[in-house]
Amino acid sequence: MTGDTPRDAANSTGPHTAAKELAGLASTKPLLEQAFDEDTLYALRSAVAAHATQAGLSEGRASDLVAAAHELAANAVRHGGGAGRLRLWNHDQVLHCQVSDEGPDGGSAEQDTTALWGTTPGSGLWLVRRLADHMHLQTGPYGTIAAISLTLGPPDRRSEFQIREDDHGHCMVLTVTGELDLRSAPTLTATINAAIDATPTPRLVLDLTRLTFWDSSGIAALITAQQRINTAPGARLVLAGLSQQLRRRLRTMGLTDRFALAETARQAVRKLSSSS
């Protein structure tokens, strides 16, 4: 898997990976440094979107960054004294975003603002951890610093999205090439719907070996495909060739059990053949 593919959204590589990376960037000028409060969150989102796109994030992944940055900034406003500061760096094909505040009422030695920010399902940090590749949260007597990172794609390289259909008699193999994102996800959905409509008991293999990028829109398309399969009696869908990054993302989102998985398309074809 290459490109600005999400890695482990659960929240980190090691407990201090994002913090260490940002520490090394402290002496460099950020792409964006902007103070914010409740009245300037819209302007902050616009600035983050513009810089993320300019830095090379795909449209869907830039939307992920904007959503994550907004949640962090909103938490800073809500629990960090009403204001904060966002910084954005581009280093070694990774976008690093830091949001900091000064704590409630300018900082309290006895207040743990991490607990206030919240990590339960549906909370802001819960969402951020599913949008960013890595996340680190550090709190102290003088406020909270949240650091997230998203990987960029290779410079000046963009794979054209394609779907090749191969009929194996008892099943159809759909080989996906390129980037599965906000722009291409509807094409995948339409192709799968057409394949399902073409036979009473569709058996499909979705070969993702050549997938070079995916974002939340791409994952949503996979979920939609499986939901459609579930409504067709006797239908089967097997996802093949998933990268370790995509497997981890599905696992952290609690989606692994929704899909039938295979290491290769050939293995998936054999699995469907034996069950026919």
Side-chain angles (χ1 to χ4, degrees):
M1 181 74 72
T2 60
D4 50 350
T5 303
R7 291 174 287 186
D8 190 351
N11 67 93
S12 56
T13 47
H16 304 296
T17 299
K20 289 180 179 179
E21 291 175 343
L22 281 174
L25 298 174
S27 60
T28 63
K29 183 178 180 180
L31 293 176
L32 172 67
E33 181 169 4
Q34 188 162 321
F36 60 85
D37 57 21
E38 183 177 4
D39 296 328
T40 58
L41 289 178
Y42 175 81
L44 183 72
R45 292 195 301 270
S46 298
V48 171
H51 284 80
T53 302
Q54 186 176 20
L57 279 182
S58 69
E59 182 177 351
R61 203 69 178 119
S63 296
D64 290 344
L65 175 59
V66 171
H70 170 78
E71 291 295 338
L72 294 178
N75 270 311
V77 169
R78 188 177 301 114
H79 305 301
R85 182 171 296 274
L86 179 143
R87 297 176 177 87
L88 189 67
W89 291 269
N90 181 356
H91 176 70
D92 196 23
Q93 287 302 109
V94 176
L95 268 185
H96 300 273
C97 180
Q98 179 192 78
V99 174
S100 58
D101 64 50
E102 296 182 354
D105 301 322
S108 168
E110 298 182 3
Q111 182 87 50
D112 182 358
T113 55
T114 305
L116 291 175
W117 279 41
T119 58
T120 56
S123 68
L125 291 188
W126 179 84
L127 174 63
V128 171
R129 284 173 171 159
R130 279 150 181 79
L131 294 174
D133 296 345
H134 302 297
M135 174 179 170
H136 176 71
L137 190 67
Q138 178 179 339
T139 189
Y142 300 106
T144 298
I145 298 176
I148 60 175
S149 63
L150 289 83
T151 306
L152 293 166
D156 300 323
R157 286 186 59 189
R158 186 176 181 88
S159 300
E160 180 183 357
F161 183 77
Q162 296 179 341
I163 302 177
R164 189 184 74 235
E165 302 180 21
D166 295 304
D167 191 349
H168 287 250
H170 65 282
C171 70
M172 174 77 72
V173 177
L174 304 177
T175 301
V176 178
T177 300
E179 304 181 353
L180 182 57
D181 57 14
L182 187 64
R183 293 179 181 275
S184 58
T187 301
L188 176 64
T189 299
T191 302
I192 291 177
N193 285 341
I196 293 174
D197 293 338
T199 176
T201 55
R203 292 173 177 262
L204 305 177
V205 173
L206 195 58
D207 185 0
L208 304 177
T209 306
R210 299 180 182 178
L211 194 65
T212 59
F213 167 82
W214 49 269
D215 63 8
S216 55
S217 299
I219 292 179
L222 297 180
I223 295 173
T224 299
Q226 186 60 59
Q227 290 174 336
R228 178 72 198 281
I229 285 289
N230 293 342
T231 64
R236 293 283 306 278
L237 172 67
V238 180
L239 305 185
L242 280 70
S243 69
Q244 290 301 315
Q245 293 96 329
L246 182 51
R247 284 178 178 268
R248 284 199 298 268
R249 176 56 67 89
L250 294 179
R251 184 168 60 248
T252 59
M253 296 180 73
L255 298 175
T256 306
D257 293 340
R258 294 194 183 189
F259 300 101
L261 304 179
E263 292 296 326
T264 65
R266 181 175 297 181
Q267 184 184 94
V269 170
R270 286 200 300 267
K271 180 182 294 190
L272 291 180
S273 177
S274 62
S275 63
S276 60

